[in-house]
Amino acid sequence: MDAAKQRPKGEGQDGPSHTNFQKASSLAAEGDLAPMTNKICLLFMLRAPLHGKVKTRLAREVGHDAALALYKAFVEDMLDSLDGCGADIAFFVEPGEGIGEMRAWLGDGRVYVPQCHGNLGDRMRAAFEWAFGAEYTAAACIGSDIAVLSHWHAKSLVRLMRSEPALIGPSPDGGYWTIGFGRKSYLPQAFESMPWSTPELFGITMGVMQPLQPATLPELADIDTLEDLRALVRARPAGVARRTLAVAGALLGQEPFKDQS
């Protein structure tokens, strides 16, 4: 791969503006650089595995030790499903100072980029601008607690990114588990002044994206509460969430939880 394609260049082509590409280049300079091997990039939005800083809503019910163990299981199960999906994966880490912990956990040979400051919309917008500044033709953000993501879902996501101007995958709580755009059809408005963490998010985002007629992926649930976790264990979906089910099964067998730190 041409070395010039190892970092965002900020060329004012169709899509995000030259100014935004310059900002994306600055962001990338703080993270790792790796040769582009695919034209599509998945922007994996992660939190560093720090005790007391992950899955805080779930932690209020199960304790921080259990929440951290579950979070690691979610991510590792998702990486199994994403393996070989046909896209590059960039790991966007919050806080950025936690990249060392991410590398110690998930290993070298991956692209780690610090998430920018701001709300979720700001951070997702910056991730897309990083990807398009790096000359990817399409990119999609994906959350880190979709334990039921399967290899089929991952392959379908990448296949649609090759052919569609935009896509979205709804969640049953009214949000979404993924959102993607082609470089030339990118709409930063999808991340501006949005009601994050509310049941209205998906509908309002679809209204912004409607001119692109986005492809819609199957609904997938994230895991934010103890009841979400119980529902996953009851369903026991085949072929996915192996680590999550093992950790959850052990935890649920120990209720009430002793660790409420």
Side-chain angles (χ1 to χ4, degrees):
M1 179 59 61
D2 188 329
K5 292 194 176 182
Q6 293 185 6
R7 84 169 52 240
K9 293 171 28 177
E11 296 175 1
Q13 300 175 0
D14 291 344
S17 70
H18 175 69
T19 299
N20 287 338
F21 277 177
Q22 288 178 322
K23 292 177 182 178
S25 296
S26 176
L27 177 65
E30 301 175 31
D32 295 337
L33 298 172
M36 180 193 301
T37 57
N38 293 284
K39 295 182 178 180
I40 295 167
C41 189
L42 296 181
L43 313 171
F44 203 3
M45 308 297 286
L46 297 157
R47 285 187 179 271
L50 303 174
H51 189 271
K53 301 296 183 181
V54 299
K55 303 306 299 178
T56 53
R57 184 177 170 193
L58 181 61
R60 289 197 291 269
E61 299 179 280
V62 303
H64 290 299
D65 288 349
L68 180 57
L70 284 163
Y71 174 72
K72 288 184 173 181
F74 300 159
V75 172
E76 291 170 15
D77 281 336
M78 291 182 69
L79 287 176
D80 282 350
S81 295
L82 292 169
D83 185 39
C85 69
D88 289 352
I89 302 175
F91 293 71
F92 282 80
V93 182
E94 198 279 323
E97 297 79 11
I99 284 179
E101 285 83 357
M102 292 296 301
R103 186 178 283 109
W105 170 28
L106 298 178
D108 294 321
R110 303 183 188 273
V111 177
Y112 299 102
V113 183
Q115 292 189 31
C116 75
H117 297 293
N119 64 28
L120 179 59
D122 297 329
R123 289 181 273 128
M124 293 173 73
R125 185 173 63 244
F128 274 101
E129 289 166 0
W130 178 92
F132 296 135
E135 300 184 358
Y136 285 101
T137 60
C141 275
I142 186 168
S144 57
D145 56 357
I146 315 299
V148 295
L149 182 80
S150 69
H151 191 62
W152 180 87
H153 292 125
K155 294 283 283 187
S156 297
L157 171 59
V158 174
R159 175 179 55 81
L160 288 170
M161 284 202 294
R162 291 194 181 104
S163 61
E164 302 295 329
L167 59 80
I168 193 167
S171 297
D173 62 4
Y176 53 81
W177 62 270
T178 188
I179 185 170
F181 294 95
R183 176 186 170 107
K184 294 184 178 181
S185 54
Y186 173 56
L187 290 177
Q189 301 96 310
F191 308 110
E192 296 172 358
S193 301
M194 287 292 171
W196 304 109
S197 302
T198 71
E200 294 75 36
L201 177 62
F202 178 77
I204 294 173
T205 303
M206 280 291 287
V208 173
M209 297 175 71
Q210 195 55 48
L212 300 176
Q213 296 184 317
T216 303
L217 284 149
E219 182 179 87
L220 294 179
D222 55 6
I223 299 176
D224 287 326
T225 67
L226 181 57
E227 183 51 40
D228 294 338
L229 193 64
R230 291 186 180 120
L232 175 67
V233 171
R234 288 194 296 268
R236 300 198 69 83
V240 296
R242 177 174 60 86
R243 295 175 185 83
T244 301
L245 287 168
V247 174
L251 289 171
L252 295 176
Q254 296 171 5
E255 293 188 82
F257 300 102
K258 294 180 180 180
D259 167 37
Q260 294 295 336
S261 56

